Structures are given as structure tokens and as C-alpha cells.
Amino acid sequence: MVGKICGTGSYVPPHVMDNDDLAKIVDTSDEWIRERTGIGKRHIIEEETTSYMAGQAALRAVEQSGIDPSEIELIIAATSSSDVVFPCAACEVQKTIGAVHAAGYDMNAACTGFVLAFNTAQAYISAGIYKTVLVIGADSMSNLVDWNDRGTCILFGDGAGAVLLRAEEGTPVYMAAHSDGGKGQALTLQSRHRKDWDKESGEESYIYMDGQAVFKFAVRKVPEIIEEVLEKAEMSLEQIDYFVLHQANRRIIEAAAKRLKTDITKFPMNLEEYANTSAATVPILLDEMNREGSLKRGQKIMLAGFGAGLTWAASLFEW
Ligand code: UT7
């Protein structure tokens, strides 16, 4: 059995900060941000929380599927910015959508989280353990960045995306995942409870990133893992309809397409509108593609994520 996507949903906060707004806070410009990243704006939470966004995305996915929430057996929420340590975001989502029979837990692999959660759900389904699984990626990066650091604050936004999987007979899902803890210092966050951390240690806790190291890692590892999954599936690049990559930087996606010698039109992007929403980028993009009618049954979709850890993962499935 494989987990077929029977519903997608997403939520981004209505409050928008464009590049000109950022230029009033840090020494940057719309021109620099667009040229180096492709980002034009980001949606930022005001009253919303990570769990709230996750719940709204989940409600939309469940509504589209037509499946009764009581049939959902498992909820996995990929997030590194849950509002509280516990209860986990997945249990908050359970409450919001009324998935009374579901088990729920969170997974944290930063920006790679959604692809790993998706693969985990597929493994449960193919093992016959669960039939109906909700997978969410949700993050409030605006709570984690230093708004005085122009090297990071321009990159991120807030949002959530969800997919509902239902067991069906079908083409297997092929997947791969890797980590390199030895290079973990390239992208770190000491604590998501910034104020408490400050009191204890006197240090500030924000996202620290060696941007160039992460850039080089992504450009090398994303094409590698895509090739690895294709080899497992005994398929060629030409057979893939869409490569849905983590939306961190347009230049990373363009470089990956170039290395794979694949037309950039097969690499959809929405980071101009939302920036990098960490674990939420892939499911938000999938939801947009689904709702605008770009996805047709039988198409082959390759997901690929990368981020802190360092971690990277990919998944190939038939829509
Ligand atoms: O989910 C994974 C998360 N992370 C990523 O995907 C990040 C991957 N890395 C990147 O996207 C890029 O490295 C950045 C967009 C972060 C930076 O782009 P870059 O082309 O690597 O720039 P750089 O760090 O080499 O900086 C070039 C110059 C520097 O000035 P000098 O030293 O040449 O005078 C920076 O101080 O640009 C300066 N700079 C800025 N200027 C205007 C850095 N940030 C900004 C800014 N506005 N926001």
C-alpha cells in the first residue's frame, strides 16, 4: 500500500512584510534581496501561533479530502518552532480538527522536517500500520530570527501546509534521507525560548547561519539525493513531472536544476511571495499546485528538503 494524497491545505498569516519594509529595519534593499534570493515578501504572524497555522492548514486539507476527521489515525507535525514544548503541535491540531482517534507527535528536522515526516507516514502506511495519516509542516520563523541581522532576517517567513494521506494500492514511494551532524554548526538555534535563554546565560538565542556553507551544501546534496532516489526507482530525470524543492533561495533551486541538466520550468517556486517558511515550504507549494490544477493523477513528483542538522531528504511519488 502507498499513501495517496487525498487533500492538501495551507495557511499563511495575512500580515505581509515586503523587502522595502525590511529596508527600514536593517541595512538592505529590495534589489539586493531579490537578486541574491528571489524573495519579494514574507507573511508574518501577529496573534497567530505555529499550532494555529498548522490547524488551519490541516482543516483545509481534511475539508478537501472529504474524509471524516475521526478516520485519521496518525498526525505528524514537522516543526522546529512550536509555541510550547508540550503539548506538541500535532496534538493541538488533533483538537482543532476533531481527529479524536488519532495519535499525534512532532518531528524536528528543521527545513527538512516535512519531507522526513512524509516519508515516515509512507513507511507506516506501506507496513500496514496506518491507513489515514495527516502530515503537516509548520513554522513561525519570525519568532526565531534576529531582526537586527540582515544576513538571516530577510530570508524567512511564517506559514503551514498539510497533506492527508490515504492507503491505496499503487506505485511504491521511493525515498532517501541523510544527515551530517559534523557540519551542524553551519545552521543553529540554541533555544526557541529566547527570553528565558537570555536570562540564564546572558547570550541571545537566534538563528545563526553560515549562509555560504549552507548554500554550497544545498547545491551539492540536493541533486545527489535526487539522483539516488531515481536510481532506487530505476527512473530517469526526464520521467519526473515536477521537482518540489524546499524554497530557501531561488539561486539554490536554479543551481540544482542546472546540475541535473533539467529545465527550470519543472521546478515550481513560490518563495517570491512567502520566503523560506522552513518545514512549511514544500506542503504550501504542493497545496498551491494542487489548487491551481497543475497536478494530474499519474504525474511523478519528486520532493526534496534540506536544512539544519545538517539534514537532507527526498521522496518520489505518483500523484
Ligand atoms: O533552509 C535553509 C536555510 N538557509 C539557506 O538556504 C541559506 C543559504 N544561503 C544563502 O541563501 C545565501 O548565502 C545568502 C542569501 C544568505 C547570502 O547571499 P550571498 O550571496 O552568500 O552573500 P554573502 O553572505 O557572501 O554576502 C555578500 C555581501 C556581504 O558584504 P561584503 O562583505 O561583500 O561587503 C554581506 O555583508 O552582502 C552583504 N549582505 C547584505 N547586503 C544587503 C548580507 N546580507 C545582506 C542584506 N542586504 N540582507
Side-chain angles (χ1 to χ4, degrees):
M1 300 295 255
V2 295
K4 280 277 180 192
I5 296 179
C6 55
T8 63
S10 59
Y11 176 89
V12 290
H15 177 59
V16 170
M17 259 179 114
D18 66 18
N19 294 341
D20 290 330
D21 293 327
L22 274 180
K24 292 176 195 146
I25 305 174
V26 288
D27 183 12
T28 191
S29 65
D30 179 57
E31 192 191 358
W32 192 95
I33 299 172
R34 282 183 188 275
E35 192 186 307
R36 301 290 178 119
T37 69
I39 294 165
K41 54 182 89 143
R42 66 282 299 138
H43 293 243
I44 301 290
I45 50 171
E46 292 180 299
E47 298 302 315
E48 303 95 330
T49 62
T50 302
S51 302
Y52 173 81
M53 294 192 295
Q56 295 305 302
L59 278 173
R60 291 169 191 185
V62 172
E63 187 189 29
Q64 191 187 63
S65 74
I67 287 172
D68 191 288
S70 66
E71 290 179 42
I72 299 171
E73 294 159 297
L74 177 67
I75 302 171
I76 311 177
T79 181
S80 50
S81 58
S82 187
D83 327 295
V84 292
V85 176
F86 46 76
C88 63
C91 289
E92 292 289 301
V93 170
Q94 176 192 27
K95 185 171 65 183
T96 303
I97 66 174
V100 287
H101 296 126
Y105 62 85
D106 291 1
M107 279 177 65
N108 173 6
C111 301
T112 318
F114 177 82
V115 181
L116 284 166
F118 182 86
N119 285 351
T120 304
Q122 293 291 351
Y124 276 120
I125 290 170
S126 80
I129 297 169
Y130 296 118
K131 288 189 182 65
T132 311
V133 183
L134 179 64
V135 187
I136 302 158
D139 271 310
S140 307
M141 303 306 285
S142 64
N143 278 339
L144 310 181
V145 290
D146 178 355
W147 287 97
N148 296 310
D149 175 12
R150 67 178 183 174
T152 51
C153 74
I154 57 135
L155 297 174
F156 296 101
D158 302 332
V163 301
L164 186 59
L165 300 174
R166 181 80 132 179
E168 272 181 29
E169 296 292 347
T171 315
V173 176
Y174 296 93
M175 58 185 79
H178 298 283
S179 304
D180 183 358
K183 297 208 173 70
Q185 291 309 308
L187 186 48
T188 60
L189 176 68
Q190 297 300 323
S191 165
R192 64 173 177 256
H193 302 286
R194 206 146 73 191
K195 291 195 186 79
D196 298 345
W197 185 266
D198 287 352
K199 249 184 274 163
E200 267 178 35
S201 66
E203 289 173 27
E204 287 177 337
S205 174
Y206 302 113
I207 289 177
Y208 161 80
M209 185 177 68
D210 178 344
Q212 291 192 2
V214 176
F215 193 98
K216 283 180 198 151
F217 144 75
V219 166
R220 202 172 58 247
K221 293 300 181 188
V222 169
E224 260 179 40
I225 200 166
I226 287 174
E227 301 269 19
E228 181 185 344
V229 173
L230 285 172
E231 203 168 304
K232 284 187 188 180
E234 297 180 354
M235 286 175 64
S236 66
L237 283 161
E238 296 71 43
Q239 289 172 273
I240 306 303
D241 294 282
Y242 289 113
F243 298 85
V244 179
L245 267 47
H246 170 47
Q247 305 283 296
N249 185 320
R250 191 192 63 223
R251 288 191 296 140
I252 292 176
I253 298 173
E254 286 172 349
K258 199 170 164 198
R259 281 197 180 209
L260 292 165
K261 298 188 179 63
T262 299
D263 198 292
I264 191 70
T265 56
K266 283 191 172 185
F267 292 74
M269 286 185 239
N270 63 3
L271 49 72
E272 201 275 335
E273 175 68 33
Y274 305 117
N276 178 348
T277 55
S278 194
T281 65
V282 168
I284 291 175
L285 183 52
L286 271 180
D287 182 46
E288 282 192 345
M289 294 169 73
N290 185 24
R291 285 176 192 263
E292 74 195 15
S294 315
L295 298 171
K296 310 266 179 294
R297 287 288 163 206
Q299 283 180 332
K300 307 284 189 295
I301 316 288
M302 176 78 76
L303 308 181
F306 58 90
L310 297 173
T311 53
W312 61 110
S315 190
L316 169 58
F317 65 95
E318 194 176 280
W319 185 258

